[in-house]
Amino acid sequence: EKCILCYPRIETGQPPACFHSCVGRIRYMGPLLYDMDRIPAAANVPDLELVQAQRDVILDPNDPQVIAEARQAGIEEPWLDACRRSPVYKMVKEWRIALPLHSEFRTMPSLFYVPPESPVRTASNGQGNIRMVGKDDGKQHLPNLDEFRVPIQYLARLLAAGNENEVKTALTRLLAMRAYRRSLRVYGKADLDVLKQAGLNEKQAVEMHRLLALAHYHERFVVPTTHREATANAP
């Protein structure tokens, strides 16, 4: 209720103070394009469909038709470019690893959260190895999410209006990315099966690892500087 998003800083191209002081580099900021005409319908779907309905309202910034209509609506090129580079769009729309807080309130979210991995160590067998589930074929599989310290049901109530599948999808993809990176670093061979199990391809896994672990400052904060002469009608 007290946050003003540090708008004097953002207008001059600086990130909010919390973003700047976050030692863990876990904050990301970027614009999203919404289809305002679809918001009323998205707000009136059943609880278990809310997350996907809100996700569907977000438009693809690379779609030529969306770009043309955005220009017609008066959105300037720096903002369109920021939408295309937005880390938030990738996390929310493409990878589906970030979820809105209490979507059952039926307000369009401006903040999204990546669910915690609980941590992964809680699925350890006590010898430093993660206990995997799946077919007994000698291949690496994902940990059993139901054994994590933070219950899936609790996370679903916070981030998905009770839809456990949305939380499981996000966590499974995060774990798959980590397992993929481990297979490369430890065994020298990419485990693509674990990505397939999570619904990811190798390109997406590489991009996820880059953004979540190695991204530079300008990749995490993607908001163009507002022109002083246009601040009265800034987007």
Side-chain angles (χ1 to χ4, degrees):
E1 292 179 357
K2 296 182 291 184
C3 176
I4 60 172
L5 202 61
C6 293
Y7 66 86
R9 292 175 59 92
I10 291 182
E11 288 178 353
T12 58
Q14 303 177 73
C18 64
F19 188 104
H20 183 76
S21 60
C22 180
V23 296
R25 300 191 304 172
I26 62 172
R27 284 172 166 79
Y28 297 78
M29 180 173 290
L32 297 172
L33 292 174
Y34 287 97
D35 186 344
M36 300 295 290
D37 294 333
R38 297 169 62 182
I39 290 179
N44 286 281
V45 300
D47 283 358
L48 296 182
E49 301 174 16
L50 275 170
V51 172
Q52 185 58 47
Q54 292 180 351
R55 191 183 288 129
D56 290 340
V57 172
I58 301 173
L59 300 174
D60 182 357
N62 297 299
D63 187 329
Q65 183 178 352
V66 171
I67 294 173
E69 292 183 4
R71 287 171 178 164
Q72 187 177 0
I75 298 178
E76 299 174 350
E77 291 301 324
W79 283 95
L80 292 177
D81 177 65
C83 289
R84 287 188 286 269
R85 296 184 293 111
S86 173
V88 181
Y89 178 83
K90 291 182 179 295
M91 293 184 187
V92 174
K93 184 82 172 184
E94 291 187 11
W95 305 333
R96 296 170 59 188
I97 61 173
L99 302 169
L101 182 66
H102 286 303
S103 55
E104 70 273 15
F105 292 169
R106 287 172 165 75
T107 55
M108 286 305 299
S110 57
L111 292 173
F112 300 86
Y113 298 83
V114 177
E117 294 177 33
S118 190
V120 166
R121 189 175 180 182
T122 59
S124 171
N125 62 5
Q127 300 177 352
N129 298 317
I130 298 175
R131 182 172 63 257
M132 300 293 177
V133 297
K135 298 178 181 179
D136 187 18
D137 54 6
K139 294 184 178 180
Q140 191 180 48
H141 294 273
L142 298 174
N144 188 344
L145 300 180
D146 294 329
E147 296 181 4
F148 275 15
R149 178 169 56 87
V150 180
I152 295 296
Q153 296 88 343
Y154 174 74
L155 293 175
R157 287 198 300 269
L158 284 178
L159 304 174
N163 190 334
E164 297 178 18
N165 289 331
E166 291 287 355
V167 176
K168 289 181 179 179
T169 295
L171 287 173
T172 299
R173 292 186 171 189
L174 290 168
L175 292 170
M177 183 267 294
R178 293 182 62 157
Y180 163 76
R181 289 296 306 174
R182 186 176 187 273
S183 68
L184 285 176
R185 297 297 297 271
V186 176
Y187 302 109
K189 182 179 179 181
D191 184 356
L192 300 182
D193 289 338
V194 73
L195 294 180
K196 184 178 180 180
Q197 182 181 347
L200 293 173
N201 57 46
E202 192 169 13
K203 181 176 182 294
Q204 290 173 321
V206 171
E207 291 179 348
M208 281 178 60
H209 176 257
R210 167 71 192 179
L211 185 61
L212 299 178
L214 303 173
H216 294 297
Y217 202 78
H218 68 278
E219 295 173 283
R220 295 187 295 117
F221 178 77
V222 184
V223 177
T225 302
T226 299
H227 293 283
R228 290 292 183 180
E229 65 275 13
T231 53
N233 296 307

